[in-house]
Amino acid sequence: MKAIEVRKDIYWVGAIDWKLRNFHGYLTQRGSTYNAYLIIDEKITLIDTVKGCLTKELIDRISDVIDLKKIDYVVSNHVEMDHSGAMPEIMDMIPNATVLTSVAGEKEHRLIYKKDWKFQAVKSGDIVNIGKRNLHFVMTPMVHWPDNMVTYCPEEKILFSNDAFGQHIASSERFDSEYPVETIMEEAKKYYANIVLPYSNQVIGVMEIVRSLDLEMICPSHGIIWKNHIPSILDMYEKWSSNKTDKKAIIVYDTMWHSTEIIANTIKDAFEAKGYNYYIFDLKDTHISDIMGHIIEAEYICIGSPTLNKGIIPTVASFLTYLQGLAPKGRKAILFGSYGWAQANMKVLERYMEESNIEVVSKYNINFIPSQDQLDTILNDVKEKI
Ligand code: FEO
């Protein structure tokens, strides 16, 4: 397997996970990569590793450049196993190499792998010289584990950003000049919405630091390397972390005998009449992780379910549980549904909104099948309230 030289004497030596379709509940229809980088300098340095099952791919790519046993430093920017899974096998081959990682990173490595590797814990502001180059470390805790850090090489103007700015894309292309940028940006947005969103406050702090760096390349640990579109991805991270929304509504529902679906379409008509962009999703057909990519830009989230037994339809409950965990801020909700003899649906929907700190601006619950008069009332009421 070939290493790819991304800058003189700096190689991409990662692995491509062509078959990955589910990353702990996040649909990854385009697969992913685990990007690792090898810097050839007086001290040979490996930045991050790959998922354990792809260790051979990492070893083969490193061996395409040098004898792996010559590695002096392994920088572990993040211990999650998609980036550290290869560590045990790699460290068995280079037991004298120093592992540069955060204090939390060392702790997590020890807890996960139970190995006494030669750790050197680093903190923000620490610099390690590797010859012609220096590595500057910046702690980025909770983006998205406590251990996260990024590594900046000022001589090359490269930021090794780990999960930040990543996208789940499997491809042989490595640079944003080689792959459709709209797709990279769409996947970066989906990645942010499904992985980074709960830690937006921390991202705001990280962005201040990143903005202060002289950057020619951002090398994330997933997907495509940013070279030509750095300002665009930085702008988007600032927008997403600020929770700024567009004039956009997302209508999400599941339905039993179409009543909730009919109401969903009426609510959609109200948003259309008021000039909103809108997307309507039946949860039977659309995965919750794909919907999150839209919610990140949406001012309104409209959620509908009929009563099912003493609660709501499980697809809607699953969506709401996922939404609650990702905790978007500053959104407004419209709740809707239908029932036969018990309004249990609305109680459950309201409870989720309360627990998620999402303001409910209106709710509509129709007994059995909505009449045209009831639909006209909903249409006019939504138009008034948005
Ligand atoms: Fe790509 Fe948090 O791991």
Side-chain angles (χ1 to χ4, degrees), residues 131-248:
K132 294 195 293 282
R133 301 173 181 86
N134 291 288
L135 300 179
H136 294 224
F137 302 102
V138 179
M139 302 301 112
T140 55
M142 298 319 297
V143 186
H144 71 123
W145 273 21
D147 59 272
N148 274 84
M149 64 180 202
V150 297
T151 301
Y152 177 62
C153 177
E155 293 78 14
E156 303 289 354
K157 301 180 182 175
I158 295 179
L159 179 69
F160 298 96
S161 63
N162 199 268
D163 279 342
F165 312 115
Q167 339 88 39
H168 282 314
I169 297 174
S171 71
S172 57
E173 296 90 343
R174 295 273 62 83
F175 292 106
D176 59 0
S177 53
E178 303 168 334
Y179 198 91
V181 69
E182 297 77 15
T183 308
I184 308 172
M185 206 54 88
E186 182 190 327
E187 289 295 342
K189 180 169 71 173
K190 185 175 174 186
Y191 189 92
Y192 190 98
N194 284 280
I195 304 265
V196 187
L197 181 61
Y199 311 109
S200 289
N201 281 346
Q202 288 86 340
V203 172
I204 291 168
V206 171
M207 288 308 296
E208 280 175 25
I209 297 164
V210 171
R211 284 287 189 193
S212 72
L213 302 175
D214 196 3
L215 288 175
E216 288 184 358
M217 213 183 282
I218 297 177
C219 293
S221 60
H222 296 290
I224 305 289
I225 294 170
W226 299 98
K227 200 161 73 165
N228 289 2
H229 298 279
I230 291 174
S232 302
I233 187 62
L234 297 187
D235 287 349
M236 293 320 291
Y237 258 60
E238 274 170 354
K239 180 184 174 193
W240 298 330
S241 60
S242 72
N243 273 300
K244 274 189 199 135
T245 54
D246 297 337
K247 196 174 177 187
K248 180 170 171 176

Side-chain angles (χ1 to χ4, degrees), residues 264-325:
N265 278 301
T266 300
I267 291 170
K268 178 264 289 175
D269 290 344
F271 279 102
E272 186 176 41
K274 294 297 289 267
Y276 274 74
N277 286 330
Y278 56 85
Y279 288 80
I280 183 162
F281 298 109
D282 183 337
L283 282 160
K284 280 192 286 296
D285 308 323
T286 311
H287 195 267
I288 51 181
S289 63
D290 286 328
I291 296 171
M292 282 311 302
H294 289 280
I295 283 186
I296 196 162
E297 294 167 334
E299 180 185 348
Y300 283 94
I301 310 172
C302 311
I303 304 155
S305 173
T307 293
L308 175 66
N309 302 322
K310 293 190 174 181
I312 56 175
I313 295 191
T315 51
V316 183
S318 168
F319 167 74
L320 288 168
T321 300
Y322 196 63
L323 182 74
Q324 192 173 9

